[in-house]
Amino acid sequence: FRSKKSIISLFTILAVLLLASCSKKEDVCTINAPEVRLEQQDELKAYIEKNHPDAVYHSRGFYYEIIAEGNARQAPDACSEVRVNYSGTLSDGTEFDKATNVSFNLRTLIPGWRLALPLIREGGIINIVLPADLAYGDAGIDNIIPKGAITVFKIELLEVR
C-alpha cells in the first residue's frame, strides 16, 4: 500500500513539473513584437502602394504576399525549428542576404519572421515587407542594412520541426 502511495506521489510530482515546463515554454514562445511607429507605417504604406500593390496588411504592422500556402497540416509556431530558403533585400532592391536549406529556431529571429512564418505551412512561399521596428530597427547592421530600413524577404518554408 505504501509503495502505491509513493508511485502516485511520484506521478503527481512529474505531472506538475511537466505542466510547469509547458507553461514556461509558452512564455518563452510568445511573440513580443514592438508596435510599429506611425512614421514607419506611413513610409511602409507608400512603398507598398508603389512596389507591392497586391500585398496584404497584417494587423501587427507589416505586409505580406502568400505565393504558395504549402501542403502540410501544421504551420510553425513561435518556438518551431524551421528549414528555409530565403533572400533579403532592401527597398531599393539591393540584396543583403540569401541562403538555401538553412535551419533556424523562430524564437531567435527578427519579429517580422516570427509573425509571418506561421501564415504558411511546409512547402509554402511568402514575401514579407517589414518596417524597421519588425526587422533591424533604428540601428540597422553596419554597412549592410541602413538605419531604419524597410526590408523585403522571400521565404520558402521547407520543413517545420
Side-chain angles (χ1 to χ4, degrees), residues 22-24 48 76 100 105-106 142 149:
C22 288
S23 172
K24 191 174 186 177
I48 289 295
T100 58
N105 189 297
L106 279 183
D142 293 336

Side-chain angles (χ1 to χ4, degrees), residues 32-45:
N32 294 319
E35 292 292 320
V36 177
R37 291 172 283 172
L38 188 56
E39 62 271 12
Q40 285 187 15
Q41 291 174 16
D42 293 343
E43 179 185 0
L44 186 63
K45 186 175 181 181

Side-chain angles (χ1 to χ4, degrees), residues 108-150:
T108 66
L109 299 176
I110 59 175
W113 275 53
R114 295 193 322 257
L115 293 166
L117 278 178
L119 299 173
I120 59 173
R121 302 177 186 310
E122 278 185 14
I125 301 171
I126 190 168
N127 290 335
I128 57 175
V129 184
L130 303 176
D133 283 342
L134 296 179
Y136 301 98
D138 290 334
I141 296 179
D142 293 336
N143 299 320
I144 299 171
I145 300 172
K147 298 174 181 181
I150 291 173

Side-chain angles (χ1 to χ4, degrees), residues 9-29:
S9 295
L10 179 62
F11 280 117
T12 303
I13 291 169
L14 288 173
V16 168
L17 290 173
L18 180 61
L19 288 173
S21 69
C22 288
S23 172
K24 191 174 186 177
K25 181 181 178 190
E26 289 171 10
D27 292 341
V28 169
C29 293

Side-chain angles (χ1 to χ4, degrees), residues 1 6 15 17 23 26-27 35 51 59-61 82-84 92 103 111 113 115 117 120 123 125 151 153 158-159:
F1 180 71
S6 297
L17 290 173
S23 172
E26 289 171 10
D27 292 341
E35 292 292 320
N51 298 285
S59 63
R60 297 296 295 269
V82 295
R83 190 167 53 86
V84 298
D92 68 2
S103 294
W113 275 53
L115 293 166
L117 278 178
I120 59 173
I125 301 171
T151 51
F153 291 92
L158 303 173
E159 182 181 15

